[in-house]
Amino acid sequence: LHQGRHGRTAYHFQPAKNWMNDPNGPFYHNGMYHFFYQYNPHGPTFGTGKLSWGHSVSGDLVNWAFLGTALDPTSPFDAKGCWSGSATTMPDGRLAILYTGLDADDVQVQNVAFAKNPSDLLLREWDKPSFNPIVPQPADITRNNFRDPTTAWLGHDGLWRFAVAAEVAGVGSTVIYRSADFITWERNAAPLHAAPGVPCWECPDFFPVVEHGTEGLDTSANGPGVRHVLKLSKAANEDYYVVGWYNDGADTFSPVEEGERGGDVRNWRRIDHGHLFGAKSFFDARKNRRVLWAWVDETDGSSYDGAKGWTGIQSFPRALWLDTEGKQLVQWPVEEIETLRRKRVALLGKEVGSGELHEIAGIETLQADVQVVFEIPNLEDAEQLDPKWLQDPQKLCAEKGATVEGGVGPFGLIVMASGDMQEQTTVFFRVFKHDDAYKVLMCTDLTRSSTKEGVQKPVYAGFVDVDVEKDKCISLRTLIDHSVIESFGGGGRTCITARVYPEHVATGSSHLYVFNNGLHAVKVPKLEAWELATASVNVEDDGLNAL
Ligand code: FRU
């Protein structure tokens, strides 16, 4: 099961070989999901000057067939690379891709490509019209930062819009372009957003969400009962978002949370507090939901030497919607993951005493879906939170790790543990008293995840915006898949994705535990863990047959 896998995942999206980075242009059309990604067909490294768009299709977002490349750097307007962008499905039946080309002079410009035959099931062929670029680089762009167009949407005036990341005279901005015909585009004078402090944000995503409910909206939806989410990515590092109101007449956007959160993007909420980047969502008309993808890069250092033959995976697709408070997103693995569930084990009404550890045995835990609810019997012993920690949950977690006894917590899961516990990753909560309320901290601690040298072993952390006083419970869902641990705290309000490279999995079995190092026992009304089957993901030989 494990030998020779080199951390290859069983049900996360990754190419059979070569380099992959940002998700590009996901969409649903004619019963088929299409997924594109930054891809170097020539090897497992970034491929400066060579990037293509890889293309895979799926009937269920779980099993994927690789179709080769959809866009290659073969034209003067993209000669040095077909960089990130998005797809738009139009009411008239056309299918368009907007993407950044690195032109023959290395200048970032925006291009369009159309599906040659929109009724073709696989949509393998994309036309790059010779009139590209549709948007050459404007004169006020500094340091060649002008990239990553979003999916286009229609305003009430019938004009198309897309947003693109741009460093405008040194200021990291998100700029809007408008068009009547998708070919001639004009820039709106005011940016949708501008944030001094960071010169260039990347991979903007801009989409509507319903104020109440979990269903998704087409990217052009707007009006009463609708809010918008602006998501920006900070250079190969972190994704931030804010919920706000969008005025499609002026093309302006105002965050609902002003003050501390509104201005500086770095104070916005995080899509994920772990290692995840370049998130991009699409409206899935098949299930009436919005689905988010994101790149999860390698952190093993050695990945760039080509030994594995592949580099980079995508997060498992997540449905997302607006929380009832209207300020934060809730993210949850798409329900199709359940088709992979095989053997199930459960704990019902178990009490985990202070200092106790309980093994979840009976399933293969290297590819598993674990869902657990912790019931907090009393909050009285919660530790007082020093307000200085509010800005630095990561440091707080590093200081108060899984083994540091607390008042309420730490409790959670120990995943991918070797028999001798030398290697283990902890995913846990700790509850603090803060003013007259409580703050829940969620952590994924990789410091002991691997005995291997040169592997990044950080501590990831974020606060979970839930009301433990009212709920008395906190939930955790963790997807384990060989070299990735994706965790969803508080029903998906706080997410932490981590890459791990334990050495014991090559030769020994891996263990899963629930633990509690709080002062008192914690109740586990329900824990369910499923072994997950291996999905057919871009398998070279039987690709299309697997669908
Ligand atoms: C983000 C990014 C994008 C760019 C692409 C190139 O990871 O730098 O801004 O379009 O990667 O692969």
Side-chain angles (χ1 to χ4, degrees), residues 334-460:
V334 296
E335 62 191 11
E336 286 86 340
I337 196 170
E338 292 168 24
T339 63
L340 295 172
R341 286 179 177 172
R342 296 295 181 265
K343 228 176 180 181
R344 166 185 174 271
V345 290
L347 284 183
L348 295 171
K350 169 102 191 150
E351 235 187 39
V352 186
S354 171
E356 271 181 26
L357 189 76
H358 186 89
E359 181 160 13
I360 312 301
I363 60 163
E364 170 52 68
T365 57
L366 278 180
Q367 40 193 84
D369 181 354
V370 188
Q371 278 187 265
V372 52
V373 176
F374 296 98
E375 191 181 305
I376 302 154
N378 77 68
L379 288 162
E380 272 153 41
D381 294 310
E383 301 153 83
Q384 197 68 41
L385 184 73
D386 184 332
K388 74 169 189 235
W389 295 122
L390 285 171
Q391 296 315 315
D392 206 344
Q394 208 161 342
K395 204 153 173 216
L396 175 57
C397 253
E399 231 161 78
K400 291 182 180 277
T403 54
V404 180
E405 184 180 284
V408 180
F411 51 75
L413 299 172
I414 300 175
V415 304
M416 295 180 84
S418 57
D420 59 6
M421 298 292 263
Q422 285 299 308
E423 289 186 319
Q424 55 172 284
T425 298
T426 47
V427 185
F428 60 96
F429 299 112
R430 200 177 189 111
V431 183
F432 292 90
K433 231 177 260 165
H434 174 59
D435 295 336
D436 290 332
Y438 296 90
K439 271 265 175 204
V440 179
L441 179 71
M442 174 174 165
C443 310
T444 295
D445 182 350
L446 302 192
T447 48
R448 292 202 281 162
S449 58
S450 174
T451 46
K452 208 168 169 178
E453 299 287 323
V455 170
Q456 289 176 38
K457 298 168 200 171
V459 175
Y460 298 119

Side-chain angles (χ1 to χ4, degrees), residues 186-197:
E186 244 173 79
R187 173 173 162 187
N188 191 32
L192 183 73
H193 181 266

Side-chain angles (χ1 to χ4, degrees), residues 259-280:
E260 266 176 39
R261 274 208 202 274
D264 192 329
V265 180
R266 290 164 294 185
N267 294 331
W268 291 5
R269 293 174 189 268
R270 295 273 296 271
I271 290 285
D272 192 292
H273 293 261
H275 189 68
L276 174 149
F277 179 79
K280 173 160 329 260

